[in-house]
């Protein structure tokens, strides 16, 4: 199918000549995804709002304690500094965004009164502004009203360079936040902004609480550990890395919600023990991100206490190569963006590593239904999925590349060149599944004369924003590191990971997104073009080219395309999505009929 035919079908839906369901079915038959079909329809004004969940509570509370288990325990409860998902999740029962993504990747209002669109006048036809109308009657937990002033403040707070906020990238291209009235804000962009949606997912903090702690003082705010939000639960207790507790918010802005009287988020342990506590023993209602071998999960599910919930999204597990030198200081800083890696700067080494990733074995023996082998970092929605890269696993070719590049085997079997051994430190968070991937890759590399030193780091440390810790993904003081990046349906925020102006460094407290300090002028050019391209088809082509550049260069080694895998008790009804935080709809969670759960959440879809 070509672009002309696709546009004809989209136009037919917009004109009422082709049923919306018929269009989606045609897309699915072509191997494309439902989120992709919805996005195409949305570009023509033909998408419809998702039907409301059948859940219609008649009272607030009465559900007892909701017990959550996160094997990566939150370490900070300010969402602007949440470099890892664990801290975003820990903040979510208390803080809320303007909108959230549902299971289909569509925006649903939270603190916004409605989602802006061309039809309601919220999105300017030239792409230069978006107007948000805020929900009225919303109160912060201390009783102060939520207003447009708070929305403007969050932009000012996050974009202050001295704060080094992780969320600064979500405000990319913003020229101004203008308060039109107490409940209306217009965001004006420096140039046409096709990806205006991500700013709506920022969990908002209150101006009256944080106004005295901006810029360089942002890390000193007591509320970084004691949140005051608008969410369904009020803060009670926080033990970093261990426990987060909240109680029902009696003034919550959604009627008859939440169902549970309190929430307890327990951190620590590991993914297998978290899964076991839900699926086998029933001690907990929910376990997040059960990154466990699939065969083990299936045995646990046989216990009958719970089930694994599979929520497709845009997450890719990948190995990242360090383009900077992590072992020698430049201007007093390890892995300084000005430095270049003494081994991985050699394209032959990078291409050899590409050939040594045994994705088939990793999918078959490690991930199972939890991961599909992929050579792309962009896999979903399908319109961003490249078909241009090879999938070959070939040790012989890797050896030939290294031989030709002058890397000779020493007496110990390890290659060397110019007096430097081909030895690399490969780090990741401690998790049995990730360590198995490390072991498979190490074995392949050894056959090519590359010696990998495996390093496992406690997840609470690895994904921490603690600037004093040497082992965070932001500092990346190793040669290779592996992790997964969760994102929304639009890939722009994720693809910021590889632009030159996002290089992680001491100056930005190692919170900028380009942790590998990779530099490619053509990639930068394509990204900037994508920032202003309003045609969704042409924009998809730009992202495919970006995918091919960063993967083709060998800077990243995609492993598998990962759906979100969580464990839930049989009676827990939890609308989950792979496009947002697991707790993004916690206000709609309840215990009830399992058949209803299957109808309202994404189970093995």
């Amino acid at each position: 199918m070509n672009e002309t035919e696709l546009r004809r079908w989209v136009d037919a839906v917009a004109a009422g000549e082709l049923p919306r369901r018929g269009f989606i079915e045609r897309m699915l038959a072509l191997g494309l995804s439902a989120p992709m079909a919805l996005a195409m329809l949305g570009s023509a004004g033909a998408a419809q709002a998702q039907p409301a969940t059948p859940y219609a509570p008649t009272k607030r509370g009465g559900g007892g304690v909701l017990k959550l288990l996160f094997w990566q325990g939150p370490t900070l409860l300010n969402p602007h500094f949440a470099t890892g998902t664990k801290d975003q999740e820990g903040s979510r029962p208390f803080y809320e965004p303007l909108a959230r993504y549902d299971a289909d990747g569509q925006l649903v209002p939270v603190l916004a009164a409605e989602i802006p669109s061309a039809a309601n006048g919220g999105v300017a036809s030239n792409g230069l502004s978006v107007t948000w109308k805020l929900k009225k009657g919303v109160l912060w937990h201390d009783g102060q009203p939520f207003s447009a002033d708070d929305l403007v403040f969050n932009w000012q707070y996050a974009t202050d360079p001295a704060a080094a906020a992780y969320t600064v990238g979500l405000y990319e291209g913003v020229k101004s936040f203008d308060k039109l009235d107490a409940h209306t804000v217009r965001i004006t962009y420096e140039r046409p902004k096709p990806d205006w949606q991500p700013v709506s997912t920022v969990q908002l903090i209150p101006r009256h609480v944080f106004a005295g702690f901006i810029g360089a003082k942002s890390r000193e705010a007591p509320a970084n550990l004691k949140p005051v939000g608008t969410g369904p639960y009020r803060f009670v207790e926080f033990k970093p890395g261990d426990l987060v507790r909240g109680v029902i918010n009696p003034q919550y802005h959604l009627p008859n919600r939440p169902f549970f009287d309190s929430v307890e988020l327990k951190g620590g342990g590991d993914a297998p023990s978290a899964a076991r506590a839900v699926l086998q023993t029933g001690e907990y209602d929910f376990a997040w991100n059960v990154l466990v071998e699939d065969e083990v999960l299936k045995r646990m599910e046989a216990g009958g206490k719970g089930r694994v919930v599979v929520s497709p999204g845009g997450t890719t597990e990948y190995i990242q190569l360090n383009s900077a030198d992590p072992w020698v200081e430049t201007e007093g800083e390890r892995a300084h963006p000005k430095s270049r890696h003494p081994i991985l700067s050699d394209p032959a080494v990078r291409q050899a590593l590409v050939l040594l990733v045994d994705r088939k074995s990793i999918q078959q023996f490690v991930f199972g239904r939890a991961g599909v082998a992929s050579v792309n970092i962009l896999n979903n929605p399908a319109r961003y999925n490249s078909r241009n890269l090879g999938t070959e696993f070939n040790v012989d070719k890797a050896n030939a590349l290294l031989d030709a590049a002058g890397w000779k085997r020493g007496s110990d079997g390890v290659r060397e060149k110019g007096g430097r051994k081909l030895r690399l430190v490969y780090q990741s968070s401690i998790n049995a599944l990730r360590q198995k991937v490390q072991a498979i890759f190490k074995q392949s590399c050894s056959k090519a004369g590359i010696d990998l030193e495996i390093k496992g780091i406690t997840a609470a440390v690895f994904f921490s924003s603690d600037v004093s810790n040497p082992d965070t993904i932001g500092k990346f003081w190793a040669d290779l590191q592996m992790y997964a990046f969760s994102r929304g349906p639009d890939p722009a925020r994720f693809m910021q990971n590889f632009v030159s102006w996002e290089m992680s460094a001491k100056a930005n407290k190692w919170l900028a997104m380009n942790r590998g300090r990779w530099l490619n002028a053509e990639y930068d050019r394509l990204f900037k073009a994508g920032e202003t391209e309003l045609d969704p088809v042409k924009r998809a082509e730009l992202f495919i080219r970006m995918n091919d550049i960063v993967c083709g260069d060998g800077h990243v080694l995609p492993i598998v395309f990962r759906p979100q895998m969580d464990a839930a008790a049989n009676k827990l009804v939890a609308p989950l999505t792979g496009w947002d935080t697991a707790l993004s709809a916690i206000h709609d969670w309840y215990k009830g009929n399992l058949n209803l759960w299957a109808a309202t959440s994404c189970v093995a879809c």
Side-chain angles (χ1 to χ4, degrees):
M1 180 180 60
N2 58 35
E3 179 182 337
T4 301
E5 186 176 359
L6 175 61
R7 292 190 189 280
R8 187 182 304 121
W9 284 3
V10 171
D11 291 342
V13 176
E17 299 169 359
L18 175 66
R20 179 172 174 272
R21 171 50 56 188
F23 176 84
I24 295 174
E25 289 175 351
R26 292 186 187 191
M27 294 297 99
L28 294 175
L30 290 170
L32 305 181
S33 69
M36 172 250 168
L38 289 167
M40 292 293 185
L41 293 177
S43 70
Q48 299 175 0
Q50 295 300 304
T53 173
Y55 177 45
T58 57
K59 70 170 185 175
R60 193 190 309 277
V65 181
L66 174 62
K67 300 184 70 176
L68 312 172
L69 190 54
F70 280 60
W71 56 276
Q72 294 178 17
T75 54
L76 189 70
L77 298 182
N78 183 330
H80 284 288
F81 301 130
T83 58
T85 307
K86 63 183 179 60
D87 292 332
Q88 296 170 16
E89 298 282 9
S91 301
R92 192 58 183 81
F94 313 112
Y95 290 120
E96 296 182 303
L98 287 173
R100 64 179 179 86
Y101 288 111
D102 67 9
D104 290 325
Q106 297 296 295
L107 280 179
V108 178
V110 180
L111 292 177
E114 62 183 5
I115 301 300
S117 67
N120 63 25
V123 178
S125 59
N126 61 7
L128 289 174
S129 69
V130 176
T131 300
W132 286 92
K133 295 181 179 179
L134 309 183
K135 200 170 188 179
K136 297 180 180 179
V138 177
L139 299 176
W140 295 101
H141 292 159
D142 60 5
Q144 294 295 310
F146 165 73
S147 73
D149 290 326
D150 295 299
L151 191 57
V152 174
F153 171 76
N154 275 264
W155 166 60
Q156 296 168 336
Y157 180 93
T159 56
D160 187 320
Y166 179 71
T167 51
V168 64
L170 292 171
Y171 295 97
E172 182 76 24
V174 172
K175 181 178 180 181
S176 66
F177 266 61
D178 299 308
K179 174 184 173 182
L180 303 186
D181 60 42
H183 293 91
T184 310
V185 172
R186 177 181 294 131
I187 304 176
T188 303
Y189 294 95
E190 296 170 349
R191 51 192 176 274
K193 187 70 170 175
D195 59 324
W196 53 265
Q197 298 92 342
V199 71
S200 68
T201 64
V202 175
Q203 296 178 40
L204 302 173
I205 60 175
R207 178 181 182 274
H208 66 279
V209 173
F210 286 89
F213 299 93
I214 60 175
K217 297 180 65 177
S218 60
R219 301 300 177 117
E220 301 171 14
N224 287 343
L225 303 178
K226 297 179 179 180
V228 179
T230 60
Y233 297 97
R234 290 180 171 180
F235 173 79
V236 172
E237 180 184 11
F238 178 40
K239 298 177 181 178
D242 178 33
L243 180 68
V244 179
R245 290 180 58 236
V247 295
I248 196 168
N249 176 9
Q251 296 178 309
Y252 189 52
H253 55 88
L254 287 176
N256 302 322
R257 291 174 175 83
F259 171 81
F260 295 98
D261 300 306
S262 62
V263 58
E264 292 183 0
L265 192 161
K266 178 67 176 175
D270 53 32
S273 63
R276 190 175 303 111
V278 174
L279 302 175
Q280 284 188 322
T281 69
E283 297 173 73
Y284 286 85
D285 300 305
F286 177 83
W288 165 82
N289 193 24
V290 286
L291 197 58
V292 181
E293 297 94 324
D294 199 28
E295 287 303 313
V296 175
L297 288 176
K298 289 177 180 177
R299 291 197 298 270
M300 290 183 183
E301 285 180 293
K305 297 288 181 66
R307 63 201 308 164
V308 173
V309 185
V310 183
S311 305
T315 301
T316 301
E317 185 89 19
Y318 63 91
I319 299 171
Q320 181 175 47
L321 278 61
N322 206 336
S323 295
D325 188 343
W327 308 114
V328 177
E329 290 189 354
T330 300
E331 298 181 6
E333 181 179 343
R334 288 173 62 178
H336 194 290
K338 291 182 180 179
S339 68
R340 294 295 88 187
H341 198 286
I343 294 175
L344 298 177
S345 294
D346 186 338
V349 175
R350 298 198 303 274
Q351 293 307 312
L353 291 171
V354 169
L355 291 165
L356 293 169
V357 182
D358 188 359
R359 295 176 181 85
K360 183 178 180 180
S361 294
I362 291 171
Q363 177 182 339
Q364 181 177 355
F365 299 112
V366 181
F367 281 92
R369 60 183 157 163
V372 179
S374 178
V375 295
N376 295 311
I377 49 173
L378 293 182
N379 295 282
N380 195 26
R383 67 181 181 277
Y384 300 121
N385 192 215
S386 173
R387 299 291 189 271
N388 303 323
L389 300 175
T391 61
E392 188 175 18
F393 166 63
N394 195 313
V395 175
D396 291 338
K397 280 190 177 181
N399 273 304
L401 274 174
L402 294 172
D403 286 339
W407 289 92
K408 306 300 182 184
R409 287 184 183 268
S411 58
D412 57 358
V414 179
R415 293 179 181 272
E416 60 181 279
K417 180 181 179 180
R420 186 181 296 274
K421 287 283 190 179
L422 218 174
R423 287 197 168 100
L424 302 167
V425 175
Y426 171 25
Q427 70 181 24
S428 186
S429 62
I430 293 176
N431 172 277
L433 189 150
R434 282 186 169 138
Q435 269 68 72
K436 287 193 174 184
V437 175
Q438 285 181 309
I440 291 173
F441 191 47
K442 177 181 174 68
Q443 184 178 34
S444 298
C445 286
S446 67
K447 294 177 181 178
I450 302 172
D451 182 29
L452 291 188
E453 177 187 332
I454 301 302
K455 181 178 180 180
I457 303 169
T458 303
V461 172
F462 188 60
F463 295 106
S464 171
S465 59
D466 180 4
V467 296
S468 65
N469 199 301
D471 288 325
T472 65
I473 55 172
K475 287 188 174 175
F476 190 9
W477 290 349
D479 303 300
L480 298 88
Q481 66 179 1
M482 180 176 66
Y483 58 98
F485 190 103
S486 300
R487 63 175 180 84
D490 190 282
R493 173 65 168 166
F494 171 69
M495 299 304 268
Q496 278 182 292
N497 277 287
F498 313 109
V499 295
S500 62
W501 55 89
E502 280 281 348
M503 288 190 184
S504 180
K506 184 178 181 180
N508 52 51
K509 297 183 173 65
W510 296 282
L511 290 179
M513 297 180 69
N514 187 346
R515 294 154 180 155
R517 293 93 175 178
W518 183 66
L519 175 64
N520 185 286
E522 176 63 6
Y523 184 96
D524 285 353
R525 186 189 69 79
L526 292 171
F527 185 89
K528 287 186 177 295
E531 287 185 306
T532 58
E533 179 55 69
L534 298 178
D535 185 313
V537 177
K538 291 181 179 178
R539 192 160 177 269
E541 292 175 356
L542 291 172
F543 280 115
I544 288 173
R545 290 168 64 188
M546 283 183 253
N547 173 92
D548 293 349
I549 289 173
V550 70
C551 295
D553 184 65
H555 174 61
V556 294
L557 312 176
I559 305 296
V560 292
F561 165 47
R562 272 182 47 199
Q564 178 67 23
M565 301 281 285
D566 302 307
N570 280 336
K571 291 186 177 181
L572 180 67
V573 181
L576 297 169
T577 173
W579 296 112
D580 211 322
T581 62
L583 304 183
S584 62
I586 192 172
H587 52 271
D588 276 337
W589 288 27
Y590 67 98
K591 287 186 178 178
N593 187 290
L594 183 59
N595 292 328
L596 178 60
W597 177 40
T600 58
S601 65
C602 185
V603 183
C605 59

